[in-house]
Amino acid sequence: MSIPSHGPLKLSVGASTGMKIGAILLTVPFVGLPLSAISELERAVQLSTGGSALGFQLLMVPFVVALMVFLVVLLGIFRFRAVLEGGVVEVHGAFTTRRVDLARARVWLDSFPECSRARDLTGRRLPYLYMYAQEPGGRKVLLRLRAARAFLPSHELAALADAIESGRRTGQDAEGASRTAGLLRRLSADPAVRVP
């Protein structure tokens, strides 16, 4: 089975415009203001000691590490996206780009246990659904199929199912791919389908 290619299909997995604006607005109070205060404090320490403020600089290491983590997360928010072209899905992260041919890859779905606000397991599964794909000898690629509010649009789920079904597999890989593609098709027709 071949996949009709109408050019790259950008999947709706990236951060929304609102999330990006929120991340930018958080950057000012959480990065800009502390950096400004630290710079002024370091200048005052150097003036009062008349030279090097090595102790002060050592105290800054945890802050710098936290700042780097924040900036990596911010970069991930802006860079994360996924594109399906033909049977190949390409997922861009903060520093990586991973490609996997869904026609050849082993594919499976998973969800995660739901936690209450008190962090206790409730026994239910979260509405977050993930698709994993891994070509023989390749790295595992993860694609989130549902955010907090809804699954990917039906045409995107159907396109992923088409890409998975376009390959020829045998044995357990064939069963897993068929099961995954079938569930994606059911979700594209009815988002209320119960996810196992």
Side-chain angles (χ1 to χ4, degrees):
M1 175 180 177
S2 63
I3 308 168
S5 181
H6 303 291
L9 173 63
K10 185 177 177 189
L11 301 175
S12 306
V13 296
S16 67
T17 304
M19 287 177 66
K20 291 178 181 178
I21 291 171
I24 290 171
L25 292 176
L26 283 175
T27 302
V28 174
F30 286 103
V31 176
L33 295 177
L35 280 179
S36 169
I38 288 165
S39 174
E40 290 299 319
L41 187 58
E42 184 179 19
R43 187 176 306 132
V45 168
Q46 285 180 348
L47 288 175
S48 66
T49 60
S52 173
L54 182 62
F56 179 78
Q57 291 170 351
L58 289 176
L59 289 174
M60 295 310 307
V61 170
F63 174 77
V64 170
V65 170
L67 177 64
M68 295 305 293
V69 169
F70 179 82
L71 292 176
V72 167
V73 169
L74 189 66
L75 181 63
I77 288 171
F78 280 89
R79 271 198 38 92
F80 184 75
R81 68 183 186 282
V83 178
L84 178 66
E85 186 164 12
V88 177
V89 68
E90 185 175 85
V91 179
H92 299 266
F95 299 107
T96 61
T97 298
R98 293 188 180 167
R99 292 174 189 82
V100 63
D101 184 353
L102 295 178
R104 298 181 336 130
R106 183 171 68 94
V107 292
W108 67 98
L109 298 175
D110 198 3
S111 58
F112 292 93
E114 183 178 39
C115 292
S116 68
R117 292 187 190 269
R119 300 284 185 211
D120 297 326
L121 293 178
T122 62
R124 295 179 298 194
R125 301 297 279 182
L126 268 180
Y128 296 96
L129 182 66
Y130 292 84
M131 183 181 81
Y132 294 89
Q134 186 172 20
E135 289 186 46
R139 297 181 72 175
K140 185 166 52 175
V141 174
L142 176 139
L143 187 65
R144 187 168 67 181
L145 300 178
R146 180 176 176 149
R149 295 179 185 260
F151 284 104
L152 295 180
S154 60
H155 69 281
E156 294 179 13
L157 292 170
L160 287 168
D162 288 344
I164 291 167
E165 290 179 331
S166 67
R168 294 185 180 180
R169 299 174 177 88
T170 58
Q172 289 182 332
D173 284 351
E175 290 175 23
S178 176
R179 193 169 37 251
T180 300
L183 181 55
L184 291 174
R185 288 198 189 289
R186 290 199 308 275
L187 288 171
S188 72
D190 179 12
V193 165
R194 189 176 185 282
V195 177

